[in-house]
Amino acid sequence: MSFAHRHLLGIEPLSQQDIVTILDLAETYVDLNRQSAKHADVLAGLTQINMFFENSTRTQASFELAGKRLGADVMNMAMQASSIKKGETLIDTAMTLNAMHPDLLVVRHPHSGAVDLLAQKVNCAVLNAGDGKHEHPTQALLDALTIRRAKGRLHRLNIAICGDISHSRVARSNLILLGKMENRIRLIGPPTLMPAGIGEFGVEVYDDMREGLKDVDVVMMLRLQKERMDGGFIPSEREYYHRYGLDAEKLALAKPDAIVMHPGPMNRGVEIDGTLADDINRSVIQEQVEMGVAVRMAAMELLAQNLAAETRR
Amino acid sequence: MSDLLFTNARLIDPEAGTDAIGWLRVAEGRITETGSGPAPDPAAGDQLVDCGGKCLAPGIVDLGVKVCEPGERHKESYRSAGQAAAAGGVTTIVTRPDTAPTIDSPETLEFVTRRAQADAPVNVLPMAALTKGRQGREMTEIGFLMDAGAVAFTDCDHVVTETKVLSRALTYARSLGALVIGHPQEPGLSQGAAATSGKFASLRGLPAVSPMAERMGLDRDIALVEMTGARYHADQITTARALPALERAKANGLDITAGVDIHHLTLNEFDVANYRTFFKLKPPLRSEDDRQAVIEAVRSGLIDIICSMHTPQDEESKRLPFEEAASGAVGLETLLPAALRLYHSGDLSLPQLFRAMALNPAQRLGLEAGRLAADAPADLVLFDPDAPFVLDRFKLKSKSKNTPFDGGRMQGRVLATYVAGLPVYRRD
């Protein structure tokens, strides 16, 4: 098992083999997490700091749980209430934390590239828990694990990613990961929510959801990022739901065994019909959350191993 | 004062478009004679400068340099900017008014003129703001400012969005024959942008502006120039799509010129790579297609002027996430070595480069400089176009070290710089 990366800043630097390595290790943690004794103390003695410069409940909880199950000492820092408000720069914050000798730093930041910047200034391993509109690698990995378990493979699938692509780091990381694993990707959404230059990504773009969903194996819905919008990207929520909200009727156009995914938190009745989201025959949304903990355990273990090997050298 | 006789020089004459071995004589701060081939016998008392076959060209006239006085002297002073200019072969810097406070009154203009005279070894010509505080609401005292020495009027990167304000300022400026410099950009589109929209910006998740915003800004300004008859210069044209409009405006006989900074000629959006903030510029770096189109426009003369758009920023303002980091790069010392990349790549000849870096800016401002002809001021740069070096930003003379060329392989070095026949820089 080799994983020669200092940090997990994005999917972009990872190879196919790296991705498979993480997913395979994560599988073992899925089993562990289903037992009543959930401890594997591979991170015992290590310190994990979660720094969230942007609100998060589920991702932070998932990272915290992953660290604790692996025996790390986990500390959460609510950065919104901290010294950043007193004018301290990101780099100063990073250096201050670095002086406390953490081993794993989990960072979420509202600006693209901020986690890269921070990683340049610290000695520990950094995990990107979402930076601006750039990447959210552990989300893409947990989505990949979910797909692989549901479909039995992670290649040559037709996968539709639907909604607010342009503001979504989840979409970017998924696009890169699923592309690396050789799937056919369709992006579905109103043109105002598509990033520029999307034609050069090697994907198919649809603004008609019904057309885009035809014969897909996986339907990945995105949250409509209301808080990120300057305003005026779509006429109204109800028109959006009518044209791009996933309901049983639109899903009927996909393959009969197509699965429905959502990174959460969901806006029921905006991008997805509530009943459909709860349909255990189609929706794997709860499984995604479960996979999240396992994937984060795997990623942290691999980075810690790599860090230990580096220290020995 | 004895005459200076430069012999065995590769004379780069942008006016004649020639690049040939010759000699040049200087007396009392002016060029008195030039000729090709071997130099005539020196007269008694002549001071000889054997150029060893290296290039002798008119000193660079850099239009749009930010010196951070008043307000932010820790970023750049007249002394440090002047030394950087001398080391870069720049003999005239035309300074921007986007300081804190803005240079928008005769009093602040007199302050910077005094500071420049005291400390800068090169010629300094100040520009003043077009509107008070660069707020785009009321025009400045254009007449008084011209009397105090302002050579052009610009709000720099603040676009005057009120079209009525701009049209009146242009009309008033025309009556005085003042040159107005605009920043062609549609601010409604470019607000908050840190990159040019396209695949790269989308992959990096950066807020981006369509290259079309530049054309929209230029189209508006051209219409106003047509309406008012003002003398107008577009500070930076960096996209292919803006070029046809510029070409039409020139063909229609409007008094319009355009510039481009050296970074947009030598770098593209992909150089930002992993959020390297020294590559964050305003306007943002463009696609390779745009870069090629703009080089072609310089070659054809459609774009008149190459400048450094020297913008000092301290480490703190650059060591931030890309979106939050300040824009701009220093360029006085790297303008010539970077421009020589275009010479070595075969894109532009040396006379073409010096036409854009010396002759055209001088003529646009009504200066006698920028030429290698008798009676022109002896503002000269002697350089070796081939000398290779790796750029170390900490060796720059600017107080700020924010250059995108740090660690870059450069080819071409300034050996000596002369202002009015006197050496202001000599490479040891």
Side-chain angles (χ1 to χ4, degrees), chain A residues 12 134 172 196-198 200-201, chain B residues 194-206 208 268-276 279 285-287 322:
Chain A
E12 211 182 358
H134 179 219
R172 265 173 201 69
I198 197 71
E200 297 168 54
F201 280 66
Chain B
T196 302
S197 63
K199 186 181 179 187
F200 179 78
S202 292
L203 271 176
R204 288 285 177 272
L206 290 172
N268 69 27
E269 57 187 345
F270 288 96
D271 287 303
V272 169
N274 254 356
Y275 305 100
R276 297 193 287 174
F279 292 79
L285 285 169
R286 307 300 196 183
S287 70
F322 199 83

Side-chain angles (χ1 to χ4, degrees), chain A residues 9-12 54-56 58-59 63 108-110 112 128-144 146-147 159-179 185-187 193 195 198 201 203 218-225 227-228 261-266 271 285 288 296, chain B residues 202-205:
Chain A
L9 299 177
I11 299 296
E12 211 182 358
E54 201 179 73
N55 278 331
S56 161
R58 52 181 64 215
T59 306
F63 268 110
R108 170 170 287 189
H109 197 280
S112 305
N128 182 359
D131 64 322
K133 297 182 283 176
H134 179 219
E135 281 229 45
H136 189 356
T138 55
Q139 178 71 43
L141 288 163
L142 74 87
D143 287 342
T146 309
I147 295 170
I159 300 171
I161 306 177
C162 314
D164 182 1
I165 313 285
S166 118
H167 296 95
S168 174
R169 54 194 174 214
V170 176
R172 265 173 201 69
S173 287
N174 265 310
L175 202 63
I176 301 168
L177 189 151
L178 297 169
I185 301 165
R186 301 179 186 180
L187 300 181
L193 294 176
I198 197 71
F201 280 66
V203 296
V218 176
V219 184
M220 218 179 241
M221 299 306 298
L222 296 172
R223 178 182 166 78
L224 185 65
Q225 300 275 15
E227 73 272 18
R228 291 252 184 74
M261 306 176 74
H262 194 297
M266 280 183 282
E271 70 255 354
I285 296 171
Q288 283 174 274
R296 286 166 183 133
Chain B
S202 292
L203 271 176
R204 288 285 177 272

Side-chain angles (χ1 to χ4, degrees), chain B residues 218 222 242-254 256 300 302:
Chain B
L218 184 66
I222 287 173
L243 295 171
L246 180 64
E247 196 168 8
R248 275 195 307 277
K250 284 188 162 188
N252 289 341
L254 301 185
I256 285 186
S300 73
L302 178 59

